[in-house]
Amino acid sequence: MFRARCLPRETTNLFNGFNRHHSTIVKNSVYGDFKSIPKDKSEIPTHELLQRVGFIKQPAAGLVHWMPNGLRVLRKLESILHRRMGEIGFEEVSLSSLSPSHLWEQTGRWGNTELFKLKDAKRGDLCLVATCEEEITDVVNKSVQSYKQLPVRAYQITRKYRDEKRPRFGLLRGREFVMKDGYSFDIDAKSAMKTFDDVNGAYRKIFQDLKVPFKSAAADSGSIGGDLSLEWHFVHPTGEDTLMECDSCGEVSNVEKTIGFPIEGSEPAKEASVKYFTTKDNSTLIAMYFPSDRIFNPSMAKSEIDDIDLDDSLTNDQVLEKFKKDADEVAVKGIIRVIDPRVTSASKLPDFPDGIKFQRNNFTSFTDISIVDAHEGEVCGGCNNGHLQSMRAIEVGHTFYLGTRYSAPLNAGFKDRDQKPQLFEMGCYGIGVSRLLASVAEVLRDPKGIAFPASIAPYEASVIVAKNSDESEVSKLVEQLDDAKVDFLVDKRDSSLPMRIRESAMVGVPLCVIVGGSSHPKIEIEVRSRPFTKKDDKWAWEVAHEKNAKDWQWDSFVDARGNEKHVVSLEKVAEVLKVLLKDL
Amino acid sequence: MFRARCLPRETTNLFNGFNRHHSTIVKNSVYGDFKSIPKDKSEIPTHELLQRVGFIKQPAAGLVHWMPNGLRVLRKLESILHRRMGEIGFEEVSLSSLSPSHLWEQTGRWGNTELFKLKDAKRGDLCLVATCEEEITDVVNKSVQSYKQLPVRAYQITRKYRDEKRPRFGLLRGREFVMKDGYSFDIDAKSAMKTFDDVNGAYRKIFQDLKVPFKSAAADSGSIGGDLSLEWHFVHPTGEDTLMECDSCGEVSNVEKTIGFPIEGSEPAKEASVKYFTTKDNSTLIAMYFPSDRIFNPSMAKSEIDDIDLDDSLTNDQVLEKFKKDADEVAVKGIIRVIDPRVTSASKLPDFPDGIKFQRNNFTSFTDISIVDAHEGEVCGGCNNGHLQSMRAIEVGHTFYLGTRYSAPLNAGFKDRDQKPQLFEMGCYGIGVSRLLASVAEVLRDPKGIAFPASIAPYEASVIVAKNSDESEVSKLVEQLDDAKVDFLVDKRDSSLPMRIRESAMVGVPLCVIVGGSSHPKIEIEVRSRPFTKKDDKWAWEVAHEKNAKDWQWDSFVDARGNEKHVVSLEKVAEVLKVLLKDL
């Protein structure tokens, strides 16, 4: 019993539910080093800026200490994930960070050189978990007997570890990082696909909550394995990934997975290279011809020749040697030639090797399989109509339909309706939470600092108390904002108003509320910036302003320095803040 | 800037603030294995019971996977700690779990054999943090320049690691555990003592929130070091610690720290043993005589002979050998005899060793220093009046005033008013959170299962839907409880009412709300148990009942099986629940 399923109407996750109702007063600077930040912040890389403003400290390459303000942002981000995962019935768990070797040996992942490994007092082998497919499958296998108990959907937000040889870019490629990893166990492929779709729907909402434009892209499953996967990206010139988007069908995919064809009338490749493979049973030689000046991507041939052995650790000579050696032992010897469509009779092809025996009637040629990474402007292999647009992107999430990739080696399953044993149909779903935080910062940086969306900014508003104010005004304002559940801090320091506003902007607080400024006794609200585009014809505040400007004594203008300002009577500050936050 | 200080009026911590407003519907059992739990639960140790009800799983000795309901309890416990630490101005941080060796080498703690150590890809030495004195001192040292920035108070609730050779008792002695560790940095000893007192005040509130009776006890600082420390305990016969409490002055201390004297007229020790020590400069031999049948505790002599070298790894012969060898090199050679007050002239003393050279005028005897663990009934060394009562206890927290134990070797400090460098005066404050959860379970176990206090129970109430109910009643009730921010689940399973009530009781939910039971259309509320004693003359519900029984159609009685029941009209369920929860 006691298995929690969130009701659909439930919108706040129970755990880590972020309570925005809070006020804090600021004393003095400890963890940030604002004086060291030059006016021209473009010189400072984002991971350095996150340290200077005191969000994180890095005790060593790839390791991170979270300081109070960074932790606030992280927790708000986690809170969004908790809510959206809860809505689709994922229950939160928290698995051990240490995992004994035996399960990893069964799935063949113990050899991964990026696993942090250690020995305990009894010389047992442990690793620090990088992901938890093995452990969660073991738990669910031991807990579930019958199809009646499925599906099981579980997730956690915990630290993960990777013994990265070249840790870099701060939170983007660390050795310890915070990851949301979800796992699902279903009775069959159809149910598993439903879960996969549900999670992708939740991911869409998560990124919409953040308001940062994103793309989901078909992707290669890589070392996690499995049959189908979707990557989630922020488009940004500093990204390490390349995505291709078709301007006609709109399909987006990672370039490693994008099928492109040369545009009609384009020049054929001048020179072609060849790479040899065999089928897994070594009965057929596969010769792939591709333009010498392009990035070879043989995985694209897999859907046409599904028994191809794509091990590319062997040189051409080694493949031929292996093929020749077995030639007498295998009954039928054939040859398949895969010729990239960019290679034509006008291209210079390498010679066919000598001494290969094969049956003439077992010789096939494919000329319509693209086996190189697509280029911008080429024809989309999905719709055969549009042209591909290329863009750089930062990967922030990945969802996998795994099938039985883990349940088979771990022999993990259940009894179906007919009491017959079946393997779990699985999925796994990751979001690098600390990476996501850094990516949002990277994408939304501006000359003022980091423009966090209001949903994850360390505070929604900084209340900056100027000398001109009296204590009763401040306490009235604090009470009002508390009641309205605004998440704010009160900055009563001695330093100048502009300096305090600048520091608030650097850490990404979207609004400053100035008490006792030049408009005293009215309150000034300064909007840090508008990092997002308008969704409707007007900003939410413009609609509210048209209605209430007079009653609320609400003036709005852009000052000489280009800052958007709102001046309003003390009683209406919370209401104006709430409206402004809608677009921030 | 942006240093958060909680206002005193703030009672909910911003982060991990546990939002009780939640309802979940129960589908079927996954993680718990209720069928395996016998009616007589006394056979099952608590750590085993926590697994059977599905709170945790243990993938290997000393490692823990937190399952949804266990995680709920853990989060609620954390939420209490967040609130109480926030109230005294501790800011939350979250330090890396991996720590390079160099800081640990400076403080002399790298040699600790219980540190989990590992090497990274570049063969650098790292450990998994057991506590974070080194790392936080380094962070604060790099962040703070001036006395104006002090005090700094920081805490975290994170996983800690200990390569325990004999992991046992589940969460009580694990290799990975959840710990709340707080650290403070002050300008001088007086301010540090103020912080120490503030934290002890917060600890008192934390344990009061849990309602489980507790004791704070003067304690030995052990390997953490420092000058003064206080342990926090639950009194329980299964505890591994022994506390002594004076029936007159009320002072409580760990037996390792308790000074006791023999009661007047008691028999002197028949036979005494001797143990030799020297002073650190090896100039004086210290011979300690104590009853052979008692537990020797030489640390109690430290306050009288502060330069004693308490290294007890040497045998008596080795100490004498060392003393003899150096005898000519050190100017003054003396002897101190410490004779436990239980040893008198009537006791048989071992012979004084031959060949020890010392100056006759440098020979001292102390006969009033107790150097054995006190026994129950002996006279309190604190007040010299009352008698000591002994009790077994489970340690759940420890606060330390550290002085400069860590800031000195790490050379960590600040500039004072006169621009002179000073070392931080530090304190550190631990609560084993996962251990605390298990300890509460151990102390509050009863024949029904685990009687968690309402503040940390997985749910405040189970709404059990019987066949006799209709959907509109249930939804009315759910809406009412949601509005009242009760944390509840809705159990719509097919299994029998008594079975569902029993399972709810096993996991520690304090109240069952039965819709469609024998009192239909009225609602039945069953109180699981009353684990705590009445604070006032009457239970809170009795007071409310006297006032509202008629208006609310509220009947209360104890049924034939001894269960406390309340029957009330549907409209008033939330109000009755709120009142009942006050005493649970």
Side-chain angles (χ1 to χ4, degrees), chain A residues 1-7 9-10 12-31 34 57 59-60 63-69 71-72 75 82 91-100 116-122 126 128 135-136 139-140 143-144 148-154 156 158-159 161 163-167 175-176 459 462 478 482 487 489 491 493 500 503-504 507 509, chain B residues 1-7 9-10 12-31 34 57 59-60 63-69 71-72 75 82 91-100 102 116-122 126 128 135-136 139-140 143-144 148-154 158-159 161 163-167 175-176 459 462 478 482 487 489 491 493 500 503-504 507 509:
Chain A
M1 78 163 294
F2 289 98
R3 178 170 182 222
R5 302 243 125 219
C6 284
L7 298 177
R9 72 189 158 69
E10 191 57 38
T12 350
N13 187 282
L14 182 59
F15 297 113
N16 292 320
F18 193 81
N19 175 4
R20 282 147 179 261
H21 174 201
H22 188 74
S23 61
T24 53
I25 51 171
V26 169
K27 200 179 148 205
N28 45 37
S29 166
V30 175
Y31 303 112
F34 294 93
K57 304 274 176 192
L63 302 182
V64 173
H65 291 328
W66 292 90
M67 296 290 105
N69 279 329
L71 196 55
R72 291 180 74 91
R75 292 268 196 261
H82 284 301
E91 289 184 281
E92 195 193 354
V93 299
S94 185
L95 305 187
S96 176
S97 315
L98 291 167
S99 178
F116 261 118
K117 291 171 190 164
L118 63 162
K119 285 195 187 288
D120 65 17
K122 293 188 170 158
L126 298 167
L128 290 171
E135 288 288 353
I136 191 79
V139 167
V140 174
S143 305
V144 167
K148 288 182 194 161
Q149 296 170 291
L150 296 176
V152 168
R153 296 176 168 187
Q156 58 179 354
T158 55
R159 293 183 180 182
Y161 301 85
D163 194 3
E164 180 76 56
K165 266 118 210 105
R166 278 184 58 225
R175 298 193 287 173
E176 180 184 47
Y459 297 90
S462 302
V478 165
D482 270 347
D487 175 31
L489 62 74
D491 183 351
R493 292 174 304 159
R500 285 187 277 168
E503 291 187 1
S504 173
V507 300
V509 179
Chain B
M1 78 162 296
F2 290 97
R3 181 177 179 212
R5 302 241 125 218
C6 284
L7 298 178
R9 73 189 159 68
E10 192 56 39
T12 350
N13 187 284
L14 180 60
F15 297 113
N16 292 318
F18 192 82
N19 175 6
R20 282 148 179 258
H21 174 200
H22 188 75
S23 61
T24 52
I25 51 171
V26 170
K27 201 180 147 204
N28 46 37
S29 168
V30 174
Y31 303 113
F34 293 93
K57 302 273 176 192
L63 302 183
V64 172
H65 291 328
W66 292 90
M67 297 290 106
N69 278 328
L71 196 55
R72 292 180 75 91
R75 292 266 195 262
H82 283 302
E91 288 183 282
E92 194 191 355
V93 298
S94 186
L95 305 187
S96 175
S97 315
L98 291 167
S99 178
H102 66 274
F116 262 117
K117 290 170 191 164
L118 63 162
K119 285 195 188 289
D120 65 17
K122 293 187 170 159
L126 298 167
L128 290 172
E135 287 288 352
I136 190 79
V139 166
V140 174
S143 305
V144 167
K148 288 181 195 163
Q149 296 170 290
L150 297 175
V152 168
R153 296 175 168 188
T158 54
R159 293 183 181 182
Y161 301 86
D163 194 3
E164 180 76 55
K165 265 121 211 99
R166 278 184 57 225
R175 299 193 287 172
E176 179 183 48
Y459 296 90
S462 302
V478 164
D482 270 347
D487 174 30
L489 62 74
D491 182 351
R493 292 175 302 159
R500 285 187 278 169
E503 291 187 1
S504 173
V507 299
V509 179

Side-chain angles (χ1 to χ4, degrees), chain B residues 211 454 529-536 538-542 578-584:
Chain B
K211 298 187 180 172
S529 59
R530 295 200 167 270
F532 310 110
T533 47
K534 239 183 265 193
K535 263 195 285 185
D536 301 305
K538 289 177 181 170
W539 295 110
W541 78 264
E542 289 172 321
K578 285 289 183 191
V579 170
L580 287 169
L581 288 169
K582 284 186 184 172
D583 299 311
L584 298 172

Side-chain angles (χ1 to χ4, degrees), chain B residues 17-252:
Chain B
F18 192 82
N19 175 6
R20 282 148 179 258
H21 174 200
H22 188 75
S23 61
T24 52
I25 51 171
V26 170
K27 201 180 147 204
N28 46 37
S29 168
V30 174
Y31 303 113
D33 183 16
F34 293 93
K35 283 182 194 145
S36 78
I37 302 173
K39 202 161 178 198
D40 181 3
K41 292 164 201 68
S42 62
E43 289 165 15
I44 308 177
T46 303
H47 61 89
E48 175 69 29
L49 190 58
L50 288 169
Q51 293 194 63
R52 299 255 193 117
V53 299
F55 280 18
I56 55 168
K57 302 273 176 192
Q58 290 211 255
L63 302 183
V64 172
H65 291 328
W66 292 90
M67 297 290 106
N69 278 328
L71 196 55
R72 292 180 75 91
V73 179
L74 184 70
R75 292 266 195 262
K76 289 192 181 183
L77 202 43
E78 291 177 359
S79 171
I80 291 174
L81 302 183
H82 283 302
R83 192 177 76 197
R84 296 304 185 186
M85 295 307 287
E87 280 173 357
I88 54 167
F90 274 68
E91 288 183 282
E92 194 191 355
V93 298
S94 186
L95 305 187
S96 175
S97 315
L98 291 167
S99 178
S101 59
H102 66 274
L103 295 173
W104 299 76
E105 277 158 2
Q106 285 179 58
T107 60
R109 298 210 299 173
W110 184 251
N112 188 326
T113 53
E114 288 197 336
L115 275 185
F116 262 117
K117 290 170 191 164
L118 63 162
K119 285 195 188 289
D120 65 17
K122 293 187 170 159
R123 313 305 297 161
D125 284 307
L126 298 167
C127 69
L128 290 172
V129 290
T131 60
C132 290
E133 284 79 6
E134 283 81 359
E135 287 288 352
I136 190 79
T137 305
D138 189 52
V139 166
V140 174
N141 191 34
K142 284 174 179 155
S143 305
V144 167
Q145 284 80 45
S146 156
Y147 71 96
K148 288 181 195 163
Q149 296 170 290
L150 297 175
V152 168
R153 296 175 168 188
Y155 79 102
Q156 58 180 353
I157 301 180
T158 54
R159 293 183 181 182
K160 305 296 185 308
Y161 301 86
R162 186 173 48 205
D163 194 3
E164 180 76 55
K165 265 121 211 99
R166 278 184 57 225
R168 56 199 184 279
F169 311 134
L171 299 172
L172 284 182
R173 199 170 282 277
R175 299 193 287 172
E176 179 183 48
F177 47 98
V178 179
M179 189 164 108
K180 190 283 297 168
D181 44 332
Y183 305 92
S184 63
F185 300 82
D186 276 283
I187 53 165
D188 55 25
K190 194 181 153 199
S191 310
M193 280 310 300
K194 166 78 171 67
T195 303
F196 183 71
D197 290 344
D198 283 355
V199 177
N200 287 321
Y203 273 39
R204 216 160 280 125
K205 286 183 189 166
I206 288 165
F207 295 114
Q208 280 163 359
D209 289 343
L210 291 174
K211 298 187 180 172
V212 180
F214 64 92
K215 299 274 181 195
S216 61
D220 198 54
S221 299
S223 71
I224 295 280
D227 300 330
L228 178 65
S229 86
L230 214 54
E231 283 174 358
W232 298 80
H233 289 270
F234 289 155
V235 175
H236 197 258
T238 64
E240 292 187 285
D241 282 87
T242 301
L243 302 185
M244 289 289 181
E245 181 168 23
C246 172
D247 62 9
S248 173
C249 71
E251 185 70 22
V252 182

Side-chain angles (χ1 to χ4, degrees), chain B residues 295-363:
Chain B
I295 297 167
F296 181 51
N297 188 340
S299 67
M300 292 174 183
K302 199 163 165 56
S303 57
E304 302 289 333
I305 314 165
D306 64 358
D307 62 338
I308 189 169
D309 178 3
L310 279 177
D311 178 6
D312 61 356
S313 64
L314 299 180
T315 65
N316 274 352
D317 286 346
Q318 286 169 326
V319 174
L320 292 174
E321 195 55 39
K322 191 177 71 146
F323 184 74
K324 281 182 196 165
K325 232 194 286 184
D326 286 7
D328 298 329
E329 292 161 32
V330 182
V332 181
K333 283 283 167 178
I335 288 189
I336 296 177
R337 299 208 310 172
V338 178
I339 301 166
D340 186 86
R342 295 158 190 89
V343 174
T344 69
S345 55
S347 310
K348 188 180 165 222
L349 262 72
D351 291 334
F352 197 75
D354 295 330
I356 299 290
K357 284 185 267 178
F358 60 90
Q359 301 185 338
R360 291 224 159 252
N361 59 353
N362 200 354
F363 185 102

Side-chain angles (χ1 to χ4, degrees), chain A residues 409-547:
Chain A
L410 295 169
N411 193 23
F414 60 97
K415 293 222 169 115
D416 67 13
R417 270 167 217 277
D418 306 320
Q419 292 297 306
K420 272 174 54 185
Q422 301 290 351
L423 294 173
F424 295 127
E425 277 282 332
M426 289 175 55
C428 71
Y429 318 97
I431 285 184
V433 190
S434 43
R435 182 182 172 86
L436 178 55
L437 187 157
S439 306
V440 172
E442 178 78 42
V443 172
L444 297 183
R445 274 190 64 176
D446 66 15
K448 290 183 174 180
I450 300 162
F452 280 114
S455 56
I456 64 167
Y459 297 90
E460 289 176 323
S462 302
V463 174
I464 299 187
V465 180
K467 288 197 180 107
N468 211 4
S469 69
D470 64 53
E471 199 46 54
S472 78
E473 281 175 309
V474 177
S475 58
K476 254 186 226 165
L477 184 62
V478 165
E479 198 181 324
Q480 184 193 141
L481 299 187
D482 270 347
D483 287 347
K485 300 196 191 303
V486 175
D487 175 31
F488 64 103
L489 62 74
V490 183
D491 183 351
K492 291 184 173 180
R493 292 174 304 159
D494 285 334
S495 52
S496 75
L497 271 186
M499 184 182 284
R500 285 187 277 168
I501 294 171
R502 271 204 303 277
E503 291 187 1
S504 173
M506 278 192 239
V507 300
V509 179
L511 297 170
C512 275
V513 179
I514 300 145
V515 194
S518 53
S519 313
H520 187 255
K522 287 176 84 179
I523 307 291
E524 242 173 271
I525 301 167
E526 184 171 321
V527 178
R528 184 201 178 285
S529 59
R530 294 200 167 270
F532 310 110
T533 46
K534 240 184 265 193
K535 261 194 284 182
D536 301 305
D537 195 25
K538 289 178 182 172
W539 294 110
W541 79 265
E542 289 172 321
V543 177
H545 187 261
E546 278 169 20
K547 202 175 141 203

